[in-house]
Amino acid sequence: MDHYRIKNLLADKPIGKALEVRGWLKTRRDAKGNFSFLEINDGSCLANLQVIADNSLANYETEIKRLTTGCSIKAAGNIIESPAKGQDIELHAKEIEIYGWSPAESYPLQKKRHSFEFLREIAHLRPRTNSLSAVARVRSVLSYAVHNFFQERGFFLVHTPIITTSDCEGAGELFTVTSLDYDNLPKSGGKVDFSRDFFGRPANLTVSGQLQAEIYALALGNVYTFGPTFRAENSNTSRHLAEFWMIEPEMAFCDLDRDITVAEDLLKHMVSYVLENCGEDIDLFDRYVEKGLKVKLEDILSHDFIRIPYSDAIDLLDASGRDFEFPVHWGADLQTEHERFLAEESFQKPVVVTDYPKEIKPFYMRMNPDEKTVSAMDILFPGIGEIVGGSQREERYDVLRARMVEAGLDIEEYEWYLDLRRYGSVPHAGFGVGFERIVQFITGMANIREAIPFPRTPGSAPF
Ligand code: 4AD
Ligand code: MG
Protein backbone atom coordinates (compact mmCIF):
# COMPACT_ATOMS: atom_id res chain seq x y z
CA MET A 1 0.00 0.00 0.00
CA ASP A 2 1.30 3.48 -0.87
CA HIS A 3 2.70 5.45 2.01
CA TYR A 4 1.66 9.06 1.53
CA ARG A 5 3.01 12.23 3.08
CA ILE A 6 0.12 14.39 4.26
CA LYS A 7 1.29 17.41 2.24
CA ASN A 8 1.06 15.45 -1.03
CA LEU A 9 -2.20 13.89 0.02
CA LEU A 10 -3.85 17.25 0.63
CA ALA A 11 -2.53 18.49 -2.71
CA ASP A 12 -3.51 15.41 -4.77
CA LYS A 13 -6.80 14.59 -2.98
CA PRO A 14 -6.92 11.02 -4.31
CA ILE A 15 -10.56 10.31 -3.40
CA GLY A 16 -11.30 6.60 -3.19
CA LYS A 17 -7.68 5.53 -3.06
CA ALA A 18 -6.49 3.05 -0.45
CA LEU A 19 -3.28 4.23 1.19
CA GLU A 20 -1.53 4.72 4.49
CA VAL A 21 -0.12 7.65 6.41
CA ARG A 22 2.29 7.65 9.35
CA GLY A 23 2.81 10.35 11.88
CA TRP A 24 2.12 11.64 15.37
CA LEU A 25 -1.25 12.10 16.95
CA LYS A 26 -2.26 15.69 17.65
CA THR A 27 -5.67 14.95 19.17
CA ARG A 28 -8.24 12.25 19.60
CA ARG A 29 -11.91 13.03 19.92
CA ASP A 30 -14.45 10.28 20.60
CA ALA A 31 -17.85 10.71 19.00
CA LYS A 32 -21.11 9.13 20.01
CA GLY A 33 -21.77 6.02 17.99
CA ASN A 34 -18.50 4.28 18.67
CA PHE A 35 -16.04 6.04 16.47
CA SER A 36 -13.18 8.51 16.99
CA PHE A 37 -11.62 11.40 15.11
CA LEU A 38 -7.83 11.24 15.08
CA GLU A 39 -5.83 14.25 13.94
CA ILE A 40 -2.47 13.13 12.57
CA ASN A 41 0.50 15.30 11.67
CA ASP A 42 3.54 13.92 9.89
CA GLY A 43 5.65 17.08 9.74
CA SER A 44 5.39 17.43 5.97
CA CYS A 45 3.13 20.45 6.40
CA LEU A 46 1.24 22.39 8.99
CA ALA A 47 -2.12 20.74 8.27
CA ASN A 48 -3.21 17.57 9.99
CA LEU A 49 -5.07 14.74 8.36
CA GLN A 50 -8.32 13.70 9.98
CA VAL A 51 -8.66 9.96 10.37
CA ILE A 52 -11.96 8.28 11.22
CA ALA A 53 -11.52 5.16 13.30
CA ASP A 54 -14.57 3.11 14.27
CA ASN A 55 -15.31 0.10 16.39
CA SER A 56 -15.07 -2.27 13.45
CA LEU A 57 -11.31 -2.03 14.03
CA ALA A 58 -10.07 -4.95 16.11
CA ASN A 59 -8.05 -2.72 18.43
CA TYR A 60 -10.65 0.05 18.76
CA GLU A 61 -11.46 -0.48 22.46
CA THR A 62 -8.09 -1.85 23.50
CA GLU A 63 -5.77 0.65 21.83
CA ILE A 64 -7.39 3.39 19.76
CA LYS A 65 -9.44 4.71 22.65
CA ARG A 66 -6.24 4.97 24.68
CA LEU A 67 -4.37 7.07 22.11
CA THR A 68 -3.09 10.40 23.38
CA THR A 69 -1.21 13.38 21.97
CA GLY A 70 2.25 12.43 20.77
CA CYS A 71 1.59 8.75 20.03
CA SER A 72 3.11 7.61 16.74
CA ILE A 73 0.80 5.65 14.51
CA LYS A 74 0.14 4.27 11.07
CA ALA A 75 -3.33 4.66 9.65
CA ALA A 76 -4.31 2.66 6.56
CA GLY A 77 -7.61 3.02 4.75
CA ASN A 78 -9.52 4.86 2.06
CA ILE A 79 -9.50 8.55 1.29
CA ILE A 80 -13.01 9.97 1.27
CA GLU A 81 -14.47 13.40 0.77
CA SER A 82 -14.88 15.05 4.12
CA PRO A 83 -18.29 16.29 5.17
CA ALA A 84 -16.63 18.48 7.79
CA LYS A 85 -15.84 22.16 7.29
CA GLY A 86 -12.24 23.28 6.83
CA GLN A 87 -10.94 20.12 5.16
CA ASP A 88 -11.57 18.48 1.81
CA ILE A 89 -10.63 14.91 2.56
CA GLU A 90 -10.26 12.47 5.42
CA LEU A 91 -9.07 8.94 5.82
CA HIS A 92 -11.48 6.18 6.76
CA ALA A 93 -9.27 3.75 8.65
CA LYS A 94 -9.23 0.01 7.93
CA GLU A 95 -6.27 -0.54 10.19
CA ILE A 96 -4.43 1.46 12.83
CA GLU A 97 -1.08 0.37 14.12
CA ILE A 98 0.61 2.00 17.08
CA TYR A 99 4.38 2.43 16.83
CA GLY A 100 4.95 4.22 20.10
CA TRP A 101 2.84 5.29 23.08
CA SER A 102 3.21 8.69 24.67
CA PRO A 103 2.07 8.74 28.30
CA ALA A 104 -0.21 11.73 28.79
CA GLU A 105 0.90 12.23 32.42
CA SER A 106 4.43 13.05 31.39
CA TYR A 107 4.32 14.22 27.74
CA PRO A 108 5.48 17.84 28.03
CA LEU A 109 3.49 19.18 25.07
CA GLN A 110 -0.04 19.97 26.10
CA LYS A 111 -2.78 21.09 23.78
CA LYS A 112 -2.42 24.71 24.97
CA ARG A 113 0.19 27.09 23.58
CA HIS A 114 3.55 26.98 25.31
CA SER A 115 5.98 29.87 25.63
CA PHE A 116 9.01 29.82 23.34
CA GLU A 117 11.24 29.94 26.43
CA PHE A 118 9.68 26.74 27.73
CA LEU A 119 9.95 25.07 24.35
CA ARG A 120 13.68 25.83 24.20
CA GLU A 121 14.10 23.67 27.29
CA ILE A 122 12.58 20.75 25.41
CA ALA A 123 14.33 21.35 22.10
CA HIS A 124 14.09 17.60 21.43
CA LEU A 125 10.29 17.87 21.28
CA ARG A 126 9.73 21.42 20.08
CA PRO A 127 9.80 20.55 16.35
CA ARG A 128 6.52 18.72 17.03
CA THR A 129 4.77 22.02 17.71
CA ASN A 130 3.08 23.92 14.90
CA SER A 131 5.29 26.98 15.15
CA LEU A 132 8.69 25.31 15.47
CA SER A 133 7.99 22.73 12.78
CA ALA A 134 7.01 25.64 10.55
CA VAL A 135 10.33 27.36 11.33
CA ALA A 136 12.19 24.15 10.48
CA ARG A 137 10.44 23.89 7.12
CA VAL A 138 11.02 27.56 6.30
CA ARG A 139 14.67 27.22 7.25
CA SER A 140 15.07 24.27 4.92
CA VAL A 141 13.30 26.00 2.02
CA LEU A 142 15.44 29.09 2.63
CA SER A 143 18.64 27.03 2.40
CA TYR A 144 17.45 25.70 -0.91
CA ALA A 145 16.66 29.25 -2.06
CA VAL A 146 20.24 30.27 -1.26
CA HIS A 147 21.67 27.45 -3.34
CA ASN A 148 19.36 27.93 -6.31
CA PHE A 149 20.01 31.69 -6.30
CA PHE A 150 23.76 31.21 -6.62
CA GLN A 151 23.80 28.07 -8.75
CA GLU A 152 21.48 29.64 -11.32
CA ARG A 153 23.85 32.59 -11.55
CA GLY A 154 26.94 30.46 -12.11
CA PHE A 155 28.45 30.73 -8.62
CA PHE A 156 30.35 27.69 -7.34
CA LEU A 157 29.87 26.38 -3.82
CA VAL A 158 33.14 26.14 -1.89
CA HIS A 159 33.31 24.18 1.36
CA THR A 160 35.55 26.38 3.45
CA PRO A 161 37.13 24.84 6.56
CA ILE A 162 35.47 24.75 9.97
CA ILE A 163 38.82 24.48 11.75
CA THR A 164 41.21 27.30 10.88
CA THR A 165 44.33 29.00 12.12
CA SER A 166 43.22 32.49 11.05
CA ASP A 167 40.90 35.10 12.54
CA CYS A 168 39.09 36.73 9.64
CA GLU A 169 37.32 39.42 11.60
CA GLY A 170 40.29 40.09 13.89
CA ALA A 171 37.91 40.45 16.78
CA GLY A 172 39.53 37.68 18.80
CA GLU A 173 36.19 36.00 19.53
CA LEU A 174 37.64 32.58 18.87
CA PHE A 175 36.79 29.13 20.18
CA THR A 176 40.03 27.21 20.54
CA VAL A 177 40.30 23.75 19.01
CA THR A 178 42.76 21.60 20.87
CA SER A 179 43.48 18.01 21.82
CA LEU A 180 45.82 18.98 24.65
CA ASP A 181 45.21 17.51 28.09
CA TYR A 182 44.12 20.44 30.25
CA ASP A 183 45.37 18.76 33.41
CA ASN A 184 48.77 18.26 31.92
CA LEU A 185 49.52 21.10 29.53
CA PRO A 186 52.89 21.07 27.78
CA LYS A 187 54.66 24.32 28.63
CA SER A 188 57.54 26.23 27.20
CA GLY A 189 58.81 29.41 28.84
CA GLY A 190 55.77 29.45 31.15
CA LYS A 191 53.32 29.42 28.23
CA VAL A 192 51.33 26.60 26.67
CA ASP A 193 53.41 24.93 23.98
CA PHE A 194 51.03 24.64 21.05
CA SER A 195 53.72 23.06 18.90
CA ARG A 196 52.74 19.90 20.76
CA ASP A 197 49.04 20.38 20.06
CA PHE A 198 47.18 18.44 17.35
CA PHE A 199 47.91 20.88 14.52
CA GLY A 200 51.30 21.94 15.85
CA ARG A 201 49.97 25.45 16.42
CA PRO A 202 46.93 27.20 17.93
CA ALA A 203 43.76 26.48 15.97
CA ASN A 204 40.19 27.68 16.28
CA LEU A 205 36.68 27.28 14.93
CA THR A 206 36.11 29.60 11.99
CA VAL A 207 34.42 32.97 12.50
CA SER A 208 33.92 33.37 8.74
CA GLY A 209 34.78 31.50 5.54
CA GLN A 210 35.60 34.72 3.73
CA LEU A 211 39.39 34.53 3.50
CA GLN A 212 39.26 31.02 2.03
CA ALA A 213 36.36 32.03 -0.25
CA GLU A 214 38.60 34.82 -1.59
CA ILE A 215 41.17 32.22 -2.60
CA TYR A 216 38.59 30.41 -4.73
CA ALA A 217 37.05 33.62 -6.11
CA LEU A 218 40.48 34.49 -7.46
CA ALA A 219 40.48 31.23 -9.38
CA LEU A 220 36.85 30.43 -10.18
CA GLY A 221 35.42 33.94 -10.45
CA ASN A 222 32.18 33.78 -8.48
CA VAL A 223 31.91 31.50 -5.46
CA TYR A 224 29.92 31.20 -2.26
CA THR A 225 30.23 29.35 0.98
CA PHE A 226 27.34 28.54 3.30
CA GLY A 227 28.23 26.95 6.58
CA PRO A 228 28.41 27.22 10.34
CA THR A 229 30.53 29.92 11.95
CA PHE A 230 31.41 30.34 15.60
CA ARG A 231 31.96 33.35 17.80
CA ALA A 232 32.77 33.39 21.48
CA GLU A 233 31.03 36.73 21.76
CA ASN A 234 29.61 37.23 25.21
CA SER A 235 26.41 38.85 23.95
CA ASN A 236 23.27 37.46 25.46
CA THR A 237 20.90 39.22 23.10
CA SER A 238 17.92 38.23 20.97
CA ARG A 239 20.12 38.53 17.85
CA HIS A 240 23.33 36.75 18.80
CA LEU A 241 24.31 33.10 18.73
CA ALA A 242 27.69 31.52 19.45
CA GLU A 243 27.12 29.12 16.52
CA PHE A 244 25.36 30.54 13.49
CA TRP A 245 25.27 29.91 9.76
CA MET A 246 26.59 32.40 7.28
CA ILE A 247 26.10 32.76 3.54
CA GLU A 248 29.25 34.28 2.05
CA PRO A 249 29.56 34.96 -1.66
CA GLU A 250 32.82 36.29 -3.04
CA MET A 251 33.05 37.80 -6.52
CA ALA A 252 36.11 38.56 -8.62
CA PHE A 253 36.06 41.68 -10.81
CA CYS A 254 33.39 43.19 -8.57
CA ASP A 255 33.05 46.56 -6.86
CA LEU A 256 31.01 47.64 -3.86
CA ASP A 257 28.07 48.78 -5.92
CA ARG A 258 27.56 45.42 -7.55
CA ASP A 259 28.24 43.71 -4.24
CA ILE A 260 25.28 45.56 -2.72
CA THR A 261 23.07 44.76 -5.71
CA VAL A 262 23.81 41.03 -5.41
CA ALA A 263 23.06 41.15 -1.67
CA GLU A 264 19.77 42.97 -2.24
CA ASP A 265 18.79 40.50 -4.98
CA LEU A 266 19.66 37.54 -2.75
CA LEU A 267 17.64 38.80 0.21
CA LYS A 268 14.65 39.55 -2.00
CA HIS A 269 14.93 36.15 -3.66
CA MET A 270 14.90 34.46 -0.24
CA VAL A 271 11.81 36.38 0.84
CA SER A 272 9.90 35.78 -2.39
CA TYR A 273 10.88 32.10 -2.53
CA VAL A 274 9.46 31.54 0.95
CA LEU A 275 6.29 33.48 0.16
CA GLU A 276 5.80 31.26 -2.89
CA ASN A 277 6.64 27.96 -1.24
CA CYS A 278 5.72 28.27 2.43
CA GLY A 279 2.44 30.20 2.27
CA GLU A 280 0.71 28.16 4.96
CA ASP A 281 3.62 28.45 7.40
CA ILE A 282 3.90 32.21 6.80
CA ASP A 283 0.16 32.59 7.45
CA LEU A 284 0.65 30.83 10.78
CA PHE A 285 3.44 33.22 11.79
CA ASP A 286 1.35 36.15 10.61
CA ARG A 287 -1.51 35.05 12.82
CA TYR A 288 0.34 33.94 15.97
CA VAL A 289 3.90 35.29 15.94
CA GLU A 290 4.04 38.68 14.23
CA LYS A 291 0.87 40.41 13.11
CA GLY A 292 1.29 41.96 9.67
CA LEU A 293 4.25 39.74 8.80
CA LYS A 294 3.09 38.95 5.28
CA VAL A 295 2.60 42.62 4.40
CA LYS A 296 6.04 43.34 5.87
CA LEU A 297 7.61 40.67 3.65
CA GLU A 298 5.76 41.78 0.53
CA ASP A 299 6.85 45.31 1.27
CA ILE A 300 10.52 44.26 1.22
CA LEU A 301 10.05 43.09 -2.36
CA SER A 302 8.42 46.25 -3.60
CA HIS A 303 11.08 48.84 -2.68
CA ASP A 304 14.72 49.45 -3.51
CA PHE A 305 16.94 49.34 -0.45
CA ILE A 306 18.14 52.79 0.64
CA ARG A 307 21.89 53.35 0.19
CA ILE A 308 23.51 55.93 2.44
CA PRO A 309 27.17 56.64 3.32
CA TYR A 310 28.09 56.27 6.98
CA SER A 311 28.89 60.00 7.27
CA ASP A 312 25.38 60.94 6.12
CA ALA A 313 23.86 58.37 8.48
CA ILE A 314 25.74 59.97 11.37
CA ASP A 315 24.40 63.41 10.36
CA LEU A 316 20.90 61.96 10.22
CA LEU A 317 21.18 60.38 13.66
CA ASP A 318 22.68 63.57 15.03
CA ALA A 319 19.88 65.68 13.62
CA SER A 320 17.21 63.32 14.98
CA GLY A 321 17.49 64.88 18.43
CA ARG A 322 17.12 61.38 19.88
CA ASP A 323 18.56 60.59 23.25
CA PHE A 324 20.54 57.48 22.32
CA GLU A 325 22.14 55.35 25.01
CA PHE A 326 25.35 55.32 22.98
CA PRO A 327 26.21 58.86 21.81
CA VAL A 328 26.55 59.38 18.07
CA HIS A 329 29.69 60.89 16.61
CA TRP A 330 31.79 60.37 13.49
CA GLY A 331 34.12 57.46 14.13
CA ALA A 332 31.85 55.57 16.52
CA ASP A 333 30.44 52.21 15.46
CA LEU A 334 26.69 52.08 14.88
CA GLN A 335 24.91 50.34 17.75
CA THR A 336 21.71 48.36 17.39
CA GLU A 337 19.64 51.35 18.56
CA HIS A 338 21.15 53.47 15.76
CA GLU A 339 20.71 50.75 13.15
CA ARG A 340 17.11 50.23 14.11
CA PHE A 341 16.41 53.97 14.15
CA LEU A 342 17.63 54.20 10.55
CA ALA A 343 15.73 51.16 9.29
CA GLU A 344 12.57 51.52 11.36
CA GLU A 345 12.06 55.23 11.77
CA SER A 346 14.07 57.25 9.26
CA PHE A 347 13.44 55.10 6.19
CA GLN A 348 11.10 52.30 7.30
CA LYS A 349 12.75 49.90 4.90
CA PRO A 350 16.11 48.15 4.55
CA VAL A 351 19.05 50.56 4.62
CA VAL A 352 22.53 49.92 3.27
CA VAL A 353 25.13 51.97 5.12
CA THR A 354 28.40 52.30 3.19
CA ASP A 355 31.90 53.70 3.63
CA TYR A 356 32.55 53.28 7.34
CA PRO A 357 35.60 54.73 9.10
CA LYS A 358 38.50 52.35 8.63
CA GLU A 359 39.18 52.16 12.38
CA ILE A 360 35.95 50.30 13.09
CA LYS A 361 36.24 47.77 10.25
CA PRO A 362 38.52 44.77 9.62
CA PHE A 363 41.85 44.95 7.78
CA TYR A 364 40.71 43.40 4.51
CA MET A 365 38.28 46.16 3.47
CA ARG A 366 39.36 48.37 0.57
CA MET A 367 40.63 51.84 1.49
CA ASN A 368 38.70 54.69 -0.12
CA PRO A 369 40.53 57.62 -1.80
CA ASP A 370 39.81 59.78 1.29
CA GLU A 371 42.05 57.36 3.26
CA LYS A 372 39.64 57.71 6.19
CA THR A 373 36.89 55.34 5.14
CA VAL A 374 36.74 51.88 3.63
CA SER A 375 34.53 50.40 0.92
CA ALA A 376 32.28 48.65 3.42
CA MET A 377 28.57 48.01 3.55
CA ASP A 378 26.16 46.84 6.23
CA ILE A 379 22.54 46.08 5.41
CA LEU A 380 20.17 47.01 8.21
CA PHE A 381 16.67 45.53 8.38
CA PRO A 382 13.69 46.87 10.32
CA GLY A 383 13.17 44.89 13.50
CA ILE A 384 16.55 43.19 13.26
CA GLY A 385 19.33 45.69 12.62
CA GLU A 386 22.40 44.36 10.82
CA ILE A 387 21.62 41.38 8.63
CA VAL A 388 24.53 41.62 6.17
CA GLY A 389 28.11 42.81 6.47
CA GLY A 390 30.35 43.05 3.43
CA SER A 391 32.90 45.05 1.50
CA GLN A 392 35.08 45.45 -1.51
CA ARG A 393 38.38 43.82 -0.57
CA GLU A 394 41.74 45.57 -0.57
CA GLU A 395 43.40 44.18 -3.70
CA ARG A 396 46.50 46.45 -3.65
CA TYR A 397 49.45 44.65 -2.09
CA ASP A 398 51.11 47.66 -0.44
CA VAL A 399 47.93 49.12 0.96
CA LEU A 400 46.79 45.75 2.31
CA ARG A 401 50.15 45.04 3.91
CA ALA A 402 50.19 48.42 5.60
CA ARG A 403 46.67 47.83 6.92
CA MET A 404 47.66 44.42 8.29
CA VAL A 405 50.65 45.86 10.09
CA GLU A 406 48.43 48.62 11.48
CA ALA A 407 45.92 46.01 12.68
CA GLY A 408 48.72 44.17 14.49
CA LEU A 409 48.40 40.96 12.45
CA ASP A 410 51.23 38.46 12.38
CA ILE A 411 52.15 39.03 8.70
CA GLU A 412 53.97 35.70 8.41
CA GLU A 413 50.74 33.86 9.18
CA TYR A 414 48.95 35.67 6.37
CA GLU A 415 51.53 35.47 3.58
CA TRP A 416 49.14 33.25 1.64
CA TYR A 417 46.53 36.04 1.79
CA LEU A 418 49.11 38.55 0.54
CA ASP A 419 50.08 36.13 -2.24
CA LEU A 420 46.62 36.61 -3.71
CA ARG A 421 47.68 40.25 -4.23
CA ARG A 422 51.18 39.37 -5.42
CA TYR A 423 49.99 37.05 -8.16
CA GLY A 424 47.17 38.14 -10.43
CA SER A 425 45.30 40.31 -7.96
CA VAL A 426 41.91 41.63 -9.09
CA PRO A 427 39.29 43.92 -7.62
CA HIS A 428 36.87 41.72 -5.72
CA ALA A 429 34.08 41.97 -3.21
CA GLY A 430 31.77 39.87 -1.07
CA PHE A 431 29.47 39.85 1.91
CA GLY A 432 28.11 37.67 4.70
CA VAL A 433 24.42 37.15 5.45
CA GLY A 434 23.56 36.01 8.96
CA PHE A 435 21.30 33.09 8.08
CA GLU A 436 19.46 32.97 11.42
CA ARG A 437 18.85 36.70 11.28
CA ILE A 438 17.06 36.35 7.96
CA VAL A 439 15.16 33.30 9.26
CA GLN A 440 14.21 35.42 12.26
CA PHE A 441 13.03 38.27 10.05
CA ILE A 442 11.02 36.00 7.76
CA THR A 443 9.34 34.02 10.55
CA GLY A 444 8.77 37.08 12.74
CA MET A 445 10.35 35.35 15.74
CA ALA A 446 11.33 37.81 18.47
CA ASN A 447 14.36 35.76 19.48
CA ILE A 448 17.05 34.31 17.22
CA ARG A 449 17.03 31.17 19.40
CA GLU A 450 13.84 30.12 17.62
CA ALA A 451 15.55 30.44 14.22
CA ILE A 452 18.01 27.54 14.71
CA PRO A 453 17.21 23.99 15.87
CA PHE A 454 19.75 23.92 18.70
CA PRO A 455 20.82 27.40 19.80
CA ARG A 456 24.24 27.83 21.39
CA THR A 457 24.55 30.89 23.59
CA PRO A 458 26.72 31.90 26.55
CA GLY A 459 26.20 29.33 29.28
CA SER A 460 23.92 27.15 27.20
CA ALA A 461 24.64 24.29 24.79
CA PRO A 462 22.26 21.46 25.65
CA PHE A 463 21.57 18.54 23.28
O1 4AD B 1 29.52 41.45 9.74
P1 4AD B 1 30.19 40.12 9.91
O2 4AD B 1 31.05 39.94 11.09
O3 4AD B 1 30.98 39.90 8.55
C1 4AD B 1 31.86 38.89 8.29
O4 4AD B 1 32.10 37.96 9.02
C2 4AD B 1 32.47 38.99 6.92
N1 4AD B 1 33.68 38.15 6.91
C3 4AD B 1 31.46 38.54 5.90
C4 4AD B 1 31.99 38.63 4.48
O5 4AD B 1 32.22 39.72 4.02
N2 4AD B 1 32.17 37.51 3.83
O6 4AD B 1 29.08 38.98 9.93
C5 4AD B 1 28.19 38.83 8.84
C6 4AD B 1 26.77 38.67 9.35
C7 4AD B 1 26.26 39.83 10.18
O7 4AD B 1 25.81 40.87 9.36
C8 4AD B 1 25.15 39.19 10.96
O8 4AD B 1 23.97 39.10 10.18
C9 4AD B 1 25.66 37.79 11.19
O9 4AD B 1 26.68 37.56 10.23
N3 4AD B 1 26.22 37.62 12.55
C10 4AD B 1 25.62 36.93 13.52
N4 4AD B 1 24.46 36.25 13.56
C11 4AD B 1 24.13 35.63 14.71
N5 4AD B 1 24.89 35.65 15.82
C12 4AD B 1 26.08 36.32 15.84
N6 4AD B 1 26.84 36.30 16.94
C13 4AD B 1 26.48 37.00 14.65
N7 4AD B 1 27.56 37.74 14.31
C14 4AD B 1 27.38 38.10 13.03
MG1 MG C 1 29.27 43.19 10.79
Side-chain angles (χ1 to χ4, degrees):
M1 199 181 279
D2 287 347
H3 167 207
Y4 252 88
R5 297 281 280 158
I6 290 173
K7 180 184 176 159
N8 301 334
L9 200 51
L10 296 176
D12 297 354
K13 303 190 180 71
I15 308 283
K17 192 171 158 98
L19 49 79
E20 61 188 48
V21 295
R22 301 164 197 178
W24 293 267
L25 191 79
K26 282 278 180 179
T27 56
R28 189 198 85 227
R29 194 160 51 82
D30 298 329
K32 281 195 203 114
N34 283 329
F35 68 102
S36 304
F37 298 103
L38 309 178
E39 293 279 336
I40 302 185
N41 187 278
D42 69 358
S44 61
C45 63
L46 191 63
N48 304 323
L49 180 69
Q50 177 160 293
V51 173
I52 315 289
D54 62 34
N55 67 353
S56 67
L57 298 168
N59 58 350
Y60 184 70
E61 290 296 337
T62 52
E63 293 190 321
I64 292 166
K65 283 185 93 172
R66 288 170 45 222
L67 286 171
T68 52
T69 306
C71 290
S72 49
I73 65 174
K74 174 175 97 181
N78 292 318
I79 294 296
I80 56 173
E81 240 170 293
S82 174
K85 258 207 202 140
Q87 61 192 24
D88 298 332
I89 56 169
E90 57 194 34
L91 187 138
H92 194 169
K94 293 266 159 61
E95 184 200 341
I96 298 230
E97 184 187 322
I98 290 96
Y99 291 109
W101 294 96
S102 174
E105 325 77 76
S106 55
Y107 189 54
L109 293 172
Q110 304 299 319
K111 215 180 153 193
K112 62 167 187 155
R113 279 174 72 191
H114 296 287
S115 74
F116 290 126
E117 289 77 10
F118 169 72
L119 292 176
R120 262 176 238 148
E121 292 170 18
I122 50 162
H124 56 306
L125 295 170
R126 71 175 182 164
R128 295 211 195 155
T129 65
N130 286 344
S131 49
L132 274 293
S133 68
V135 173
R137 283 186 295 270
V138 165
R139 194 181 156 106
S140 168
V141 168
L142 268 176
S143 304
Y144 185 61
V146 168
H147 289 295
N148 67 33
F149 177 87
F150 287 118
Q151 298 281 338
E152 278 166 18
R153 284 163 181 75
F155 285 62
F156 297 103
L157 172 64
V158 177
H159 292 122
T160 52
I162 307 284
I163 300 174
T164 72
T165 50
S166 55
D167 176 7
C168 175
E169 294 306 293
E173 295 155 342
L174 306 175
F175 284 104
T176 301
V177 175
T178 182
S179 59
L180 290 176
D181 175 3
Y182 280 98
D183 294 323
N184 190 14
L185 288 172
K187 295 261 173 98
S188 147
K191 287 191 155 181
V192 176
D193 181 7
F194 282 103
S195 72
R196 292 169 61 189
D197 200 352
F198 191 88
F199 298 105
R201 56 195 288 194
N204 54 273
L205 294 176
T206 187
V207 298
S208 158
Q210 177 196 324
L211 302 186
Q212 294 89 352
E214 281 187 57
I215 296 177
Y216 275 78
L218 267 61
L220 275 66
N222 292 337
V223 302
Y224 70 109
T225 178
F226 180 12
T229 51
F230 308 85
R231 295 190 188 177
E233 211 173 346
N234 204 2
S235 334
N236 236 324
T237 77
S238 59
R239 305 174 322 123
H240 286 90
L241 292 164
E243 176 179 299
F244 61 99
W245 286 61
M246 220 199 301
I247 305 152
E248 296 183 275
E250 193 67 35
M251 295 159 281
F253 315 106
C254 181
D255 63 9
L256 188 70
D257 234 38
R258 197 175 132 234
D259 196 39
I260 296 171
T261 302
V262 172
E264 179 169 346
D265 289 350
L266 169 65
L267 295 171
K268 286 182 172 170
H269 173 75
M270 292 172 81
V271 169
S272 72
Y273 199 80
V274 164
L275 283 172
E276 269 166 43
N277 293 283
C278 305
E280 202 188 37
D281 291 327
I282 295 296
D283 287 343
L284 174 92
F285 300 135
D286 198 326
R287 198 161 342 134
Y288 297 111
V289 179
E290 181 183 344
K291 297 249 180 300
L293 175 73
K294 205 164 164 183
V295 170
K296 175 188 94 173
L297 296 178
E298 281 160 355
D299 209 43
I300 292 289
L301 301 179
S302 57
H303 297 285
D304 288 339
F305 293 4
I306 302 289
R307 300 185 187 197
I308 179 177
Y310 166 90
S311 299
D312 294 357
I314 292 294
D315 289 346
L316 224 158
L317 291 164
D318 226 2
S320 73
R322 266 307 162 87
D323 190 17
F324 292 113
E325 187 188 339
F326 294 89
V328 180
H329 60 89
W330 201 96
D333 206 355
L334 296 183
Q335 302 294 328
T336 303
E337 54 173 348
H338 309 133
E339 296 176 342
R340 293 187 59 168
F341 179 83
L342 293 170
E344 287 162 29
E345 298 186 45
S346 294
F347 298 106
Q348 300 178 5
K349 54 175 79 79
V351 179
V352 190
V353 179
T354 62
D355 306 293
Y356 285 77
K358 68 175 167 53
E359 286 78 12
I360 55 174
K361 289 293 181 188
F363 69 93
Y364 54 72
M365 295 190 175
R366 191 179 198 278
M367 183 86 82
N368 282 326
D370 64 13
E371 300 205 344
K372 292 195 191 87
T373 60
V374 286
S375 224
M377 64 106 162
D378 276 5
I379 303 185
L380 318 176
F381 261 38
I384 301 277
E386 181 190 338
I387 205 153
V388 172
S391 75
Q392 189 169 335
R393 317 306 187 191
E394 185 54 77
E395 85 284 12
R396 297 161 297 186
Y397 176 87
D398 294 331
V399 185
L400 177 61
R401 200 186 149 84
R403 282 276 282 154
M404 292 169 83
V405 170
E406 206 176 73
L409 262 69
D410 183 350
I411 300 285
E412 251 177 58
E413 296 286 328
Y414 291 88
E415 284 299 344
W416 58 271
Y417 192 68
L418 284 164
D419 269 358
L420 298 174
R421 279 73 182 168
R422 279 191 190 100
Y423 311 119
S425 186
V426 301
H428 62 290
F431 59 86
V433 184
F435 188 56
E436 286 71 23
R437 292 205 183 157
I438 186 85
V439 172
Q440 195 185 350
F441 180 76
I442 287 177
T443 58
M445 287 293 167
N447 198 307
I448 199 166
R449 292 164 212 214
E450 271 64 73
I452 189 165
F454 302 99
R456 271 78 182 94
T457 54
S460 172
F463 305 97

